[in-house]
Amino acid sequence: MKTLTGAGRRSLVRTVAIGLAVLAPALVLSACGPDEEPEEVSTPSSVVVQPGKPGEPAQTIAPEDYEGAPNAEAPFSKADAEFLTDMIWHHGQAVDMSVLAPERAESEQIKTFATRIDVVQGSEIKLMSDWLEENDYPVPVTAESGDGSGPRAPGHGHDAEMPGMLSEAEMAEMEDASGAEFDRLYLEGMIKHHEGALAMCKDVAGAGSEERVLELANNIAADQMAEIDRLDEMLDAL
């Protein structure tokens, strides 16, 4: 995704904001009723964590052994579950970027901002993982491992097509940088990352059906739109 600047970014933010404001309330009202069946969950293509029955531990299983979400009454649709899963991966990379800042950044403002990203998005990863588990959907292993060392799903690494995700090369460049160069790479990378998250939030507003998921998407979009303005200010000040 190309990083936008100036009027282009402001136009994107306004478009996303209008889309979420118009679509989300209507979708909440039209969410799946008690007589509607949730969409079938496709078989995952990578190792997943299968929640256990009450009192039993979760198990890490191969995709061919996954039998799908057993909770037929789960209110989450496939679109809701895919948004949560993808946003866990997406947030995970933002955390990976931000934990580099304390030792590499020159700007104290960037260090403070990065700490907030680490705390807030880490908490949202936990929340989204809990929601998936509550509804018997597979939880990405990266959310369980905490340090990113667990298996990653194909298509969900740094080179994924997911909006705003940094490539392996971009992450490596940031990891090798320090001082003012790190500050620039971090700000540019996080702006790109946030713009991708806005696109994901807009997509689920048009396809999701679960009220809590739509509310979370609205909250993420609102937070990240405001943060883009702050990131722009810090980038202009370099």
Side-chain angles (χ1 to χ4, degrees), residues 60-176:
T60 300
I61 60 174
E64 62 269 19
D65 296 327
Y66 179 63
E67 297 179 354
N71 185 1
E73 302 301 321
F76 281 51
S77 69
K78 181 179 179 181
D80 297 320
E82 288 180 346
F83 169 77
L84 294 177
T85 300
D86 286 349
M87 193 58 76
I88 287 171
W89 293 112
H90 205 268
H91 273 20
Q93 190 183 64
V95 170
D96 289 345
M97 295 164 63
S98 296
V99 296
L100 299 174
E103 295 183 358
R104 292 170 172 79
E106 180 176 281
S107 167
E108 291 299 323
Q109 289 181 315
I110 290 176
K111 291 180 182 180
T112 299
F113 182 90
T115 297
R116 182 182 185 277
I117 292 291
D118 186 15
V119 172
V120 172
Q121 297 203 15
S123 297
E124 288 175 346
I125 288 173
K126 177 66 166 59
L127 174 66
M128 292 185 287
S129 299
D130 288 346
W131 284 357
L132 288 172
E133 185 172 355
E134 286 172 11
N135 290 278
D136 299 319
Y137 286 100
V139 179
V141 175
T142 187
E144 298 297 309
S145 66
D147 61 1
S149 62
R152 290 182 179 270
H156 288 79
H158 296 319
D159 289 322
E161 294 300 321
M162 198 182 304
M165 290 287 280
L166 273 60
S167 68
E168 292 281 3
E170 288 172 319
M171 286 295 296
E173 184 180 12
M174 191 180 301
E175 290 168 358
D176 291 340

Side-chain angles (χ1 to χ4, degrees), residues 195-220:
E195 289 171 350
L198 294 182
M200 293 166 67
C201 290
K202 184 179 179 182
D203 286 345
V204 78
S209 61
E210 212 285 333
E211 183 174 358
R212 292 184 299 167
V213 174
L214 296 176
E215 182 179 0
L216 176 66
N218 274 322
N219 291 340
I220 290 174

